[in-house]
Amino acid sequence: MKKTYYNSIDMDTFKQELKAEIIRVLNLDGMQPDDINDAEPLFGEGLGLDSIDALELIVLLEKNYGIKLEKPEDGKAVFQSVNVLADYITRNRKK
Amino acid sequence: MKGTTVCITGAGIVSAIGFGKEETLQALRQGRSGIAPIRYLETTHADEFPSGEVKADTPSLRRRLGMQDGNRTTLLGILAIQEALQQAGITDTRTVSLLSGTTVGGMEETEQHYAEALKHPGTTISIRTHHCGATTDAMAAFFGGFRHTATLSTACSSAANAILRAAEMIQSGRTDICIAGGSECLSKFHLNGFNSLMILDRRPCRPFDAGRAGLNLGEGAGFLVLESEVSARRRKAAVLGWLNGYGNACDAFHQTASSPEGEGAFLAMRQALEMAGLTPADIDYINAHGTGTPNNDASESRAVLRLFGGNYPPISSTKAFTGHTTSASGGIEAVICLLALQEQFLPQNLHFSEPMEGGLLPVQDQQPKRPVRHVLCNAFAFGGNDTSLLLSNQPV
Amino acid sequence: MKQPVYITAASAISIQEPLSESWMQHPVVPQGGAAYAREPDYTPFVKPLEARRMGKLLKRATATAQTVLRQTGIARPEAILTGTGHGCVQNTLTFLNDLCQGGEQMLKPTCFMQSTHNTIGSLTGIQTGSHGYNSTYAHGGTSFECALMNAWDLLQLGRVHNALVSAHDELTDDYYPMLQASGYADGRMTCPTTEASVSCMLQTAAEGPVLLQGVDVLYRPAPEQLLQALDALLEEAGLQRTQVDALLTGANGSGTDRAYDPLTHALPQCELLTYKHLFGESFSAGALGCYVAQACLRHDLLPACLRRGGEDRQPAPRHWLVANCFDGTDYSLILLSKCCDY
């Protein structure tokens, strides 16, 4: 079932869930969803994630939302920040 | 090279392009690739990822060797070792050391047993023939014994490090003769592992091409008999080539990615040259690691340009022939280098059409413009375990 | 001309107190079956973000290596040699299980990456920024000894002045039954099946109480070949058989214990010692043998716990032969001596 968020409260809840998932799959021990700023870059200078984390997030997208990225480079645009990622998932999710 | 001179008196090879040196040479000269849809490994990706399988199923490999059992890594290793020992005229291996490189080991068999055991709760699989060392010792047992056996496991540079280590053992006076190389069979485990890293090409791989999109996996084994020159002379063995230098360096950059400047690769090649007392201008051919992944080929190109400048020697990757035979690649490609030295040709880089930006122009014409005397054979790995071997048709 | 090689520091994580030599006075007495290592506090060694891809094996490898590097003041070892029989078992089994249960899709890249054996040694390379020689052995129960031999040769050839040599193997609840089914966790064993992480620093341009005199690894040696190898090691060290006063074997109560008979007969004057009753059996156990001997030489103490009912002996024996036999197939000999100036 495709979910769409019509208001910002739903979207905020979704972002919190998403951050919890990121912490879980990337094994970011000791971090809480609130430690991740929604607008902060996930890679490089922000949270400090790298290419392997990007691959893990690609698996997460496919497993949880049925979104399949064909090339690792495609992740660059999608994983800019939690805001960008949440928006991308909302528009492209298959489940 | 300072210290004991190390020469090569035997070589054996099996890969997607053939059993033995003769078939391998023919395929290389005719430009015939061994990459095809997967036929022998049971996988749902059979038609998705072209691979370089050895063209025989496991039972027929066993029959070839008159064996009842033995996993594919072991069997491929035995075939290559047998050819190498035969050429070197060695029948008694009891004073010889065997160094083999592998990472997959017995995984291809284990993954079948594990899946089977899942269907029968309460059953447990044995891992007796699974771990890397077990495959080496199973190869040793086939030949009746060696003085020393060891298994190098540095992922895709395992066989190259086994060959390098053989030279060290000879130079340190531990042994006169060492058979060294590596063996690796295709497994669902690493096929899916490389897929999870998103570095497998769905088309035949195109090393050094601007449009390259990843690697094709392969399988096989390649071994060299390395020997001190004194021992070879004493045995009146024919010398096929010399290992005049080698270098092992760590990129120390990332667990899977190579550094943009190719630091590990650069250092390994430079060390090999320094050990041989040669300059970049002396190198007549480079057999590149050249996997076909965007990252490796860019990093390796940068390392070659740093060391050799714009006037770099002919360079090619033979992985579009054999596939990336991972741990065995250093052994397989060292044998290919030896063939290039003996037959005076340049193995071509298949499927190249357009150079990458700031990249290299790999070998298209097999005919060398000058004699092939000294060649570098590169093998790089995850974790930045980078090794380069310098083989020659003359001592330095 | 042989270069003197010193073991200038060593540290271990095992079923005994981690990163400590308190086992010499207050050993933990293990039970049989599977016994897991005691974990140290990893916060001084591993940053939280780095820990995200580290299973217990990589954390242990980081802690033992860092301990040795800090003790010796060597920030970047010139060579890093690693031995591991099985590598990161936890990650390997997760990937294998996901593959067999869930099919060939959506598999975790981190688990695959960490399943390659060289991930341990290359992590040390990355952590220390060491571009030097870096290699890994996965040769069953003599992986450490192969790594030690490699380091020894590099030092003797003058290619490096120091080398960090380590061995790491872990146990999991899922792996233990497989070791049992394989005969590696033999029911006759009088010690538990365990896990071990050991790091040690070898140096030529240094001094210290512990001299590494030589190492050899043999494949299925006949008794006379084993003794030839022993004599060659002794000759290189300028020693006679009669001067060896401690023989520390990897005897574990199983059928392979007979492997040590030629050595015990050849060295009848030796104090016969074992270590696996305290540290257990694993593919990295041989590294603990070396670690135990160097600890005794460093502290000049042969503790009662190694003497099976004896008392502390001080000074410790001076020349130690450490012998290990893996599965009746691969044999290792390590010769260590107390440096006479200490």
Side-chain angles (χ1 to χ4, degrees), chain B residues 116-133:
Chain B
E116 198 53 41
L118 285 175
K119 294 181 198 154
H120 306 98
T123 55
T124 306
I125 63 161
S126 164
I127 47 144
R128 214 172 164 74
T129 55
H130 161 78
H131 58 95
C132 298

Side-chain angles (χ1 to χ4, degrees), chain C residues 227 247 249 258-270 272:
Chain C
L227 296 180
L247 172 59
T249 76
R258 283 191 312 265
Y260 306 107
D261 288 352
L263 297 173
T264 49
H265 293 148
L267 304 167
Q269 76 293 341
C270 269
L272 191 58

Side-chain angles (χ1 to χ4, degrees), chain B residues 23-349:
Chain B
E23 285 185 28
T24 304
L25 183 62
Q26 274 180 22
L28 289 169
R29 308 258 13 199
Q30 292 164 6
R32 184 158 33 83
S33 169
I35 291 172
I38 296 172
R39 220 180 111 192
Y40 301 102
L41 180 76
E42 229 176 89
T43 166
T44 57
H45 299 304
D47 295 320
E48 190 181 358
F49 297 121
S51 299
E53 286 183 295
V54 170
K55 307 295 183 259
D57 62 14
T58 302
S60 71
L61 290 176
R62 288 189 189 125
R63 278 196 299 279
R64 235 174 219 266
L65 291 164
M67 290 173 73
Q68 300 297 313
D69 48 23
N71 58 42
R72 201 165 166 88
T73 296
T74 303
L75 299 167
L76 294 173
I78 291 172
L79 283 167
I81 293 169
Q82 205 170 40
E83 186 190 8
L85 288 174
Q86 216 157 28
Q87 185 174 29
I90 296 167
T91 45
D92 183 353
T93 55
R94 281 175 301 175
T95 58
V96 178
S97 294
L98 168 66
L99 305 179
S100 180
T102 191
T103 303
V104 168
M107 182 58 91
E108 182 259 347
E109 194 179 40
T110 300
E111 67 198 14
Q112 295 174 47
H113 292 169
Y114 192 85
E116 198 53 41
L118 285 175
K119 294 181 198 154
H120 306 98
T123 55
T124 306
I125 63 161
S126 164
I127 47 144
R128 214 172 164 74
T129 55
H130 161 78
H131 58 95
C132 298
T135 58
T136 306
D137 281 351
M139 293 174 206
F142 178 86
F143 295 96
F146 285 86
R147 183 190 185 275
H148 162 79
T149 59
T151 310
L152 280 291
S153 195
T154 56
C156 302
S157 57
S158 301
N161 277 324
I163 292 170
L164 174 151
R165 177 69 189 132
E168 285 168 2
M169 283 182 66
I170 292 166
Q171 291 175 325
S172 66
R174 279 195 186 273
T175 185
D176 285 333
I177 308 175
C178 229
I179 177 147
S183 179
E184 196 120 287
C185 74
L186 204 59
S187 74
K188 250 164 61 165
F189 189 96
H190 79 288
L191 178 73
N192 282 281
F194 277 85
N195 189 29
S196 77
L197 297 172
M198 300 183 89
I199 50 173
L200 292 179
D201 197 342
R202 288 176 167 78
R203 290 168 53 193
C205 67
R206 289 149 283 161
F208 296 109
D209 192 84
R212 68 198 185 284
L215 59 88
N216 305 141
L217 282 172
E219 61 177 359
F223 280 85
L224 295 177
V225 175
L226 297 134
E227 187 165 2
S228 73
E229 202 169 27
V230 177
S231 162
R233 235 181 248 146
R234 192 170 53 228
R235 295 197 307 116
K236 298 191 172 59
V239 174
L240 315 172
W242 280 262
L243 181 65
N244 282 323
Y246 47 83
N248 166 315
C250 186
D251 202 34
F253 176 70
H254 187 263
Q255 293 283 69
T256 54
S258 302
S259 63
E261 287 296 294
E263 186 65 10
F266 171 81
L267 292 172
M269 288 189 283
R270 194 177 68 180
Q271 269 175 37
L273 283 172
E274 275 171 4
M275 189 184 283
L278 295 175
T279 65
D282 293 317
I283 299 301
D284 303 304
Y285 166 64
I286 302 172
N287 187 293
H289 188 56
T291 57
T293 65
N295 176 237
N296 175 81
D297 293 5
S299 173
E300 187 171 13
S301 296
R302 186 73 199 115
V304 167
L305 291 170
R306 277 175 69 195
L307 187 57
F308 292 90
N311 203 12
Y312 57 87
I315 180 169
S316 69
S317 162
T318 44
K319 288 187 170 70
F321 281 94
T322 58
H324 185 4
T325 57
T326 51
S327 289
S329 65
I332 285 173
E333 287 156 30
V335 177
I336 289 174
C337 285
L338 190 66
L339 293 173
L341 286 164
Q342 290 182 300
E343 303 293 324
Q344 291 293 302
F345 78 106
L346 302 172
Q348 71 187 93
N349 192 101

